[in-house]
Amino acid sequence: MKEKRKKVFVFFPDGVGLRNFAFTDFKAIGEEKGFDITYWNNTVFSLEDNLGFKEVKIENHQLHPLTPIYSRARKRAELNVSRDKFKDAVYPTYKFPFSYKGLKNSFKSLYTKLLIGLYSSEKGIEKLREKINALERKNPKYAYCKVQLEQHKPDLIFCTTQRATQSISALLAAKDLGIPTVAFVYSWDNVPKAMQVVATDYYCVWSDHMKREVLQYYPFVNEDQVFVTGTPQFEPHYDASLKQSRTDFFKDNNLDINKRYICYSGDDETTSPLDQYYLEDLAHAVRRLNTKGYNLGIIYRKCPVDFTTRYDAVIEANKDIIAVLDPIWKPVGKQWNQVLPAKEDFKLLYNVCEHSEFVTNVCSSTVFDFVAHDKPCIYYNYEQPQLKKGIRDIGQNYKYVHFRSMPSDQAAVFCTAKQDLEGLVKQILDGHLSSVDEGKLWYEIIVGKTPTEASKNIWKIITTCLNKEQ
């Protein structure tokens, strides 16, 4: 008798996992291995309508009213514990300021501060997590999700991110029904930032480095619960079918075939509030080099979730050298996490990396996208004169824990003074300076040793977890 196919729910609590788990070959690989795959979809993006995938829509998006307050207190309490445990002042810099605008915000902030004062210990954090779980079990979404799970009876739930409060009630419903759960740790900087919102039976992480972090920061997680799989995020960079010829790419994007282009990868406003001035500095450096016999342009690729107009004046003033190639992401709601990538963006990013000389930005993970194409990266690390009180200095980004994973300060080219930028650009273009070799070592530390195998590895682990639960 033919064995019944195992039913896996691939759970999207928000849209950040779409890129990794809907637009890559992840589903095709799982089906090839014999899984019955349904997308359990809490986003506003219809996977059935847009991609023809089988889905169960979660229409209830409720949180218990107190969950955001307790979650914020949990995060800050964890950062306080890390500060004290590791004797490291970096952890408070991950905190966002409290808001006291209006009575409601003031009450929330004061109540959160009270909780932080009471629960900033490992036992306290445990109690906060228990309280959040108790609140979410009272949330109507919990009963709603439980009914869906009882109706569809999945054998396992694979949650595409560990950091969404929207996933708490759904995963608690699964736990209470005895359905095993696996969470994917979504981003390279998430673990030290206290962004583990959910507790699941198993975890998939990018690399050995990230596994060590999970075990270091979360004492309630055992080593045999954490599996190193890699991330599907970088798999498209190894898909040669996405590659366009230089001629076709330049023609499709109205680029000048005679120019060599440098990619400027924009940042969100929180990370780099004065980001437009670094683009302006690069434009000035390019102009000076062009008077010395170079023929250069800039491809500006904005941060997909940046809706500001802050770059407009710089782009307009330099429209003869700056080509704007926006990422192909589509807003389907008003929140930042409702701006969702389109599959076509894989091809665009692949070719921006392939046909640019190198990338420049403020501390972005695009360093890894470009090193996958053997291209170096310049990181800006100097203050802008426009910096004043109340504006965040970008220098603190490089002090964050995830930057300590660099094998050396040669894994990117650090520009520490505006006047050095032109010289660094020239040296890279002339082949006298590169960060590629050290960048590849860093890439392996963060992304793992098998960047092309992540989707396959995750399905192997799902099989392992199902076998363990039998």
Side-chain angles (χ1 to χ4, degrees), residues 386-392:
Q386 294 85 356
L387 188 71
K388 58 186 184 202
K389 196 178 175 188
I391 297 178
R392 189 172 171 279

Side-chain angles (χ1 to χ4, degrees), residues 393-452:
D393 173 17
I394 58 120
Q396 80 178 60
N397 294 311
Y398 299 107
K399 296 186 176 109
Y400 285 153
V401 175
H402 59 289
F403 272 96
R404 297 175 189 174
S405 61
M406 293 177 85
S408 77
D409 59 6
Q410 311 296 307
V413 175
F414 281 89
C415 182
T416 54
K418 189 184 294 198
Q419 62 269 26
D420 295 343
L421 182 59
E422 181 188 337
L424 293 173
V425 170
K426 183 178 186 303
Q427 284 182 72
I428 292 174
L429 293 170
D430 292 348
H432 302 314
L433 178 66
S434 178
S435 59
V436 171
D437 288 345
E438 289 291 310
K440 284 190 167 182
L441 294 176
W442 192 22
Y443 181 73
E444 188 176 302
I445 289 166
I446 295 299
V447 180
K449 295 180 190 300
T450 55
T452 62

Side-chain angles (χ1 to χ4, degrees), residues 134-302:
L135 292 169
E136 283 300 298
R137 280 190 172 99
K138 292 175 190 166
N139 175 12
K141 183 175 177 176
Y142 167 83
Y144 172 94
C145 290
K146 205 170 184 181
V147 167
Q148 286 189 332
L149 294 173
E150 285 170 331
Q151 185 184 342
H152 293 277
K153 296 183 171 52
D155 294 294
L156 180 142
I157 292 167
F158 176 74
C159 182
T160 54
T161 171
Q162 86 300 349
R163 69 187 201 183
T165 47
Q166 276 288 334
S167 62
I168 301 170
S169 53
L171 292 174
L172 285 170
K175 182 186 169 104
D176 294 347
L177 290 168
I179 301 166
T181 54
V182 182
F184 179 74
V185 179
Y186 170 72
S187 190
W188 70 309
D189 63 349
N190 279 186
V191 182
K193 285 165 77 173
M195 294 183 80
Q196 185 138 332
V197 170
V198 296
T200 50
D201 298 311
Y202 306 100
Y203 302 89
C204 289
V205 296
W206 294 20
S207 60
D208 291 325
H209 170 80
M210 198 184 268
K211 178 172 181 173
R212 283 191 297 272
E213 284 189 324
V214 168
L215 298 174
Q216 178 185 1
Y217 288 96
Y218 296 105
F220 60 85
V221 178
N222 298 320
E223 189 171 357
D224 61 0
Q225 291 176 273
V226 187
F227 298 95
V228 175
T229 57
T231 172
Q233 183 172 324
F234 299 100
E235 286 181 342
H237 289 301
Y238 303 92
D239 180 356
S241 72
L242 297 174
K243 185 177 179 177
Q244 289 182 282
S245 69
R246 181 179 163 88
T247 305
D248 289 346
F249 177 68
F250 275 52
K251 187 180 174 186
D252 287 354
N253 294 286
N254 298 314
L255 301 174
D256 183 343
I257 197 73
N258 299 307
K259 282 183 179 173
R260 298 166 77 188
Y261 282 88
I262 297 160
C263 178
Y264 185 94
S265 174
D267 248 306
D268 63 89
E269 201 171 15
T270 303
T271 305
S272 183
L274 300 172
D275 207 58
Q276 66 272 30
Y277 298 113
Y278 297 100
L279 175 60
E280 186 174 52
D281 293 346
L282 180 62
H284 290 160
V286 161
R287 282 199 186 284
R288 288 192 296 272
L289 287 166
N290 284 349
T291 65
K292 296 170 185 175
Y294 291 81
N295 189 9
L296 306 173
I298 298 167
I299 289 173
Y300 166 62
R301 179 180 161 93
K302 74 170 189 174

